[in-house]
């Protein structure tokens, strides 16, 4: 049997504490690129190894997170342990049914993802595909972003393909100009772009999804998939005209957490499995539609 090929997702997985409504909090683990890895794992067959690349601490909660990741069938030997640090945490509080998020991630181990360039190169080495997000970049110090891009560029030269979910989160960046510059620079070392139109219009000023496609295409992208909530997904693949693909309406949206992450993981799984781009979008949208009808990031 041929060796399994690797999909490597890079970023930060956090502890999630969610208000159970009875004075207790339920603990989980989630984070955008981890959620994408989880949905990709669900959709991919045995011919694929899905791995998560990140840094954790050496404490008990870091051990539990590593155990959770491995227990979900996601390779955890691509996690680097850093002494003196721990994992990030976020809490979902409920006030009169409204969800509010608080984060403690300022000093999380994942911020050191690109600190050790040799380790990073080793993790990327041989991966068929690498997936990262704007959050992966935002949490790194400026030099780490350059190190990450250099590692991605070398991996691509060796045949790895790269996807980038821009996940624009202004609060995580120094300022908007830095966010724009860094996102565009990372797009330039990516093959597949997975932006969400509501964020791109608000933060880059795109008037239409066609503008979003044109902007990332100019950076050298081979494929741009513009998500737009309940609106059509606009898909552009190199050598083809953009197509607008309607998504099935969802009558009752319960929780949009991980809509984009599940879309990304399922889209990548289908693409890596050889599906045509429009088919990959359809299966991604089907999965995301289910995800938004249940609470929480991971749909069990
Ligand atoms: P993100 O979560 O990254 O901001 P979107 O909100 O655009 O991304 O949603 C990602 C995908 O989830 C959409 O392309 C669509 O397939 C699905 N989705 C999100 N909101 C809805 C909705 N209201 N109705 C149907 N599908 C939706």
């Amino acid at each position: 049997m041929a060796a399994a090929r690797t999909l490597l997702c890079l970023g930060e997985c956090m502890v999630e504490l969610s208000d159970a409504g009875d004075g207790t909090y339920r603990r989980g683990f989630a984070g955008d690129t981890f959620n994408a890895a989880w949905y990709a794992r669900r959709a991919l067959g045995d011919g694929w190894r899905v791995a998560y690349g990140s840094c954790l601490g050496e404490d008990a909660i870091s051990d539990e997170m590593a155990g959770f990741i491995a227990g979900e069938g996601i390779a955890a030997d691509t996690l680097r342990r850093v002494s003196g640090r721990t994992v990030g945490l976020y809490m979902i509080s409920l006030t009169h049914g409204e969800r509010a998020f608080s984060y403690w991630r300022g000093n999380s181990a994942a911020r050191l993802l690109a600190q050790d360039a040799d380790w990073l190169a080793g993790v990327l080495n041989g991966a068929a595909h690498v997936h990262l997000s704007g959050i992966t970049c935002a949490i790194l110090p400026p030099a780490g972003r350059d190190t990450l891009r250099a590692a991605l560029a070398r991996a691509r030269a060796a045949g790895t393909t790269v996807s980038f979910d821009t996940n624009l989160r202004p609060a995580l960046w120094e300022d908007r100009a830095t966010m724009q510059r860094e996102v565009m620079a990372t797009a330039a070392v990516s093959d597949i772009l997975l932006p969400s139109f509501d964020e791109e219009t608000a933060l880059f000023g795109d008037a239409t999804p066609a503008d979003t496609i044109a902007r990332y295409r100019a950076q050298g992208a081979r494929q741009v998939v513009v998500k737009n909530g309940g609106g059509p997904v606009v898909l552009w693949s190199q050598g083809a005209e953009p197509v607008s693909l309607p998504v099935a309406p969802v009558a009752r949206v319960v929780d949009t957490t991980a809509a984009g992450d599940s879309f990304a993981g399922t889209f990548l799984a289908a693409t890596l499995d050889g599906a045509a781009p429009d088919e990959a979008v359809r299966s991604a949208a089907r999965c995301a539609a289910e995800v938004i009808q249940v609470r929480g990031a991971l749909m069990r």
Side-chain angles (χ1 to χ4, degrees):
M1 204 175 92
R5 293 194 286 162
T6 297
L7 161 62
L8 172 73
C9 297
L10 288 177
E12 178 175 24
C13 184
M14 287 178 285
V15 176
E16 179 194 82
L17 290 182
S18 51
D19 196 336
D22 61 1
T24 65
Y25 280 80
R26 203 179 65 85
R27 197 204 58 202
F29 297 105
D32 66 339
T33 53
F34 173 73
N35 303 340
W38 194 89
Y39 283 98
R41 176 68 284 167
R42 220 169 85 121
L44 279 169
D46 289 344
W48 283 90
R49 173 178 171 264
V50 178
Y52 197 60
S54 188
C55 294
L56 313 184
E58 292 180 325
D59 54 349
I61 189 69
S62 297
D63 290 348
E64 283 190 48
M65 183 183 285
F68 172 78
I69 291 171
E72 296 297 314
I74 296 169
D77 55 354
T78 42
L79 297 170
R80 186 167 75 90
R81 299 303 193 100
V82 180
S83 66
R85 292 255 179 151
T86 187
V87 293
L89 164 74
Y90 70 99
M91 202 162 130
I92 308 169
S93 318
L94 282 177
T95 314
H96 309 302
E98 288 293 318
R99 289 148 44 91
F101 290 77
S102 306
Y103 291 89
W104 293 264
R105 71 195 308 188
N107 200 31
S108 70
R111 292 186 176 255
L112 304 179
L113 177 65
Q115 183 195 42
D116 181 340
D118 290 341
W119 171 81
L120 186 60
V123 163
L124 292 175
N125 184 34
H129 187 85
V130 175
H131 177 66
L132 75 160
S133 78
I135 296 176
T136 311
C137 302
I139 62 169
L140 302 180
R145 297 168 187 158
D146 292 335
T147 305
L148 175 58
R149 279 193 290 269
L152 291 171
R154 273 194 298 275
R156 288 179 88 208
T160 301
T161 52
V162 174
S163 55
F164 181 38
D165 182 340
T166 53
N167 255 343
L168 303 174
R169 300 288 181 275
L172 291 177
W173 291 95
E174 296 90 318
D175 51 61
R176 187 195 283 214
T178 304
M179 178 188 73
Q180 291 181 338
R181 194 184 61 239
E182 295 291 328
V183 165
M184 293 306 273
T186 305
V189 292
S190 304
D191 298 284
I192 302 173
L193 267 290
L194 291 155
S196 287
F197 185 65
D198 58 344
E199 296 166 11
E200 306 288 325
T201 188
L203 296 160
F204 276 101
D206 298 340
T208 64
D211 292 346
T212 307
I213 291 170
R215 191 162 46 75
Y216 290 124
R217 196 177 160 175
Q219 296 302 93
R222 289 190 298 111
Q223 189 167 58
V224 185
V225 185
V226 187
K227 298 156 284 165
N228 197 4
V233 173
V234 185
L235 161 73
W236 170 77
S237 307
Q238 199 167 47
E241 290 299 313
V243 285
S244 183
L245 302 168
V247 305
V250 170
R252 205 173 90 83
V253 176
V254 174
D255 175 10
T256 57
T257 303
D261 309 335
S262 60
F263 185 101
T266 310
F267 176 81
L268 292 175
T271 299
L272 296 171
D273 246 354
D278 57 336
E279 253 322 298
V281 166
R282 286 191 190 95
S283 54
R286 272 196 302 272
C287 178
E290 283 184 53
V291 169
I292 63 177
Q293 294 180 69
V294 296
R295 267 203 191 288
L298 308 180
M299 188 175 58
R300 290 182 180 281

